């Protein structure tokens, strides 16, 4: 069945780059998303990529998609303490074709 | 400001009691969702609704009930049949099923 996998923890130093990885199983996914959750808050949509793209850049965020390996990554450049949060990746098939499937989330800790 | 409002932020339930969590959106979205989040477990789908007066069970619907009488509102009732209700509950909406989700800020439910 469908599954989205992420490592549970990542620790980096302030100013370094963070790379959060995600693997998914369904090659027919249409969109892949990255969400950020700060403690005690809801999920905030950070960015998303359409499945026919390889890369998307948005300020400090770079999303890379390798469809052959079903691998998605989120790179955060110049990581700040405010980036400490849980990051979820999710896949979908597009409108009216089933709900988003979420990974369990990666907790990013940024040390000063 | 458009968005999703969940209330209350914190809720306490006594044994044998039903409690209702509120979710209202003014984004004109057709689809609405309820997720449960336990530490380290990621998000689990409780119920979702694609249109007014219609809703479907998600992966963990037992012990919960919902209604969708208005497009803007999707309240969740945690019944006394739910034996382990302590969790963080997240409401979300999207234009239609399978598209990117917008989340509320969550309700933390605890048992007295």
């Amino acid at each position: 069945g469908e599954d989205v996998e992420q490592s549970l923890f990542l620790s980096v130093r302030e100013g370094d780059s963070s790379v959060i990885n995600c693997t998914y199983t369904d090659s027919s996914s249409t969109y892949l998303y990255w969400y950020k959750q700060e403690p005690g808050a809801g999920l905030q949509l950070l960015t998303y990529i359409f499945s026919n793209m390889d890369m998307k850049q948005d300020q400090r965020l770079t999303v890379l998609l390798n469809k052959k390996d079903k691998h998605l990554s989120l790179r955060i450049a110049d990581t700040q303490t405010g980036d400490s949060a849980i990051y979820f990746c999710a896949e979908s098939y597009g409108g009216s074709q089933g709900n988003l499937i979420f990974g369990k989330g990666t907790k990013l800790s940024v040390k000063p | 400001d458009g968005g999703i409002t969940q209330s209350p932020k914190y809720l306490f339930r006594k044994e044998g009691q039903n409690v209702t969590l509120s979710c209202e959106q003014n984004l004109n979205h057709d689809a609405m969702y309820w997720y449960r989040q336990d530490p380290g477990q990621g998000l689990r789908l409780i119920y979702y609704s694609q249109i007014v007066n219609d809703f479907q069970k998600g992966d963990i619907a037992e012990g919960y009930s919902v209604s969708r009488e208005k497009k803007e509102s999707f309240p969740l009732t945690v019944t006394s049949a739910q034996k382990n209700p302590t969790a963080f509950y997240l409401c979300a909406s999207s234009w239609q099923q399978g598209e990117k989700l917008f989340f509320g800020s969550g309700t933390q439910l605890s048992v007295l």
Side-chain angles (χ1 to χ4, degrees), chain A residues 17-29:
Chain A
S17 291
S18 308
V19 180
I20 303 170
N21 294 302
C22 172
T23 57
Y24 59 99
T25 55
D26 198 322
S27 58
S28 60
S29 296

Side-chain angles (χ1 to χ4, degrees), chain B residues 93-110:
Chain B
S93 69
S94 63
W95 279 283
Q96 57 178 321
Q97 186 191 20
E99 297 194 348
K100 58 181 180 283
L101 299 180
F102 294 80
F103 283 84
S105 55
T107 293
Q108 176 65 50
L109 175 62
S110 303

Side-chain angles (χ1 to χ4, degrees), chain B residues 7-89:
Chain B
S7 61
K9 181 71 176 170
Y10 300 96
L11 187 58
F12 297 90
R13 192 190 90 168
K14 294 180 183 176
E15 192 134 351
Q17 188 182 40
N18 293 353
V19 292
T20 298
L21 284 62
S22 170
C23 178
E24 303 274 332
Q25 55 99 358
N26 61 3
L27 300 167
N28 202 30
H29 286 169
D30 284 321
M32 295 187 75
Y33 311 78
W34 275 105
Y35 287 90
R36 171 178 169 141
Q37 187 178 24
D38 296 278
Q41 294 272 341
L43 302 175
R44 291 187 287 171
L45 183 64
I46 306 172
Y47 267 100
Y48 64 101
S49 166
Q50 298 180 65
I51 199 165
V52 174
N53 292 323
D54 189 37
F55 47 83
Q56 288 80 40
K57 292 181 179 180
D59 301 317
I60 55 162
E62 188 174 345
Y64 300 97
S65 66
V66 292
S67 63
R68 187 89 187 274
E69 295 176 5
K70 297 187 300 181
K71 187 175 184 177
E72 302 79 22
S73 178
F74 192 40
L76 173 74
T77 297
V78 183
T79 74
S80 56
Q82 173 48 249
K83 296 305 178 191
N84 184 23
T86 297
F88 192 55
Y89 290 86

Side-chain angles (χ1 to χ4, degrees), chain A residues 3-19:
Chain A
D3 202 8
V4 176
E5 305 241 348
Q6 302 177 237
S7 53
L8 293 182
F9 301 100
L10 176 65
S11 180
V12 300
R13 291 215 171 272
E14 193 173 17
D16 288 350
S17 291
S18 308
V19 180

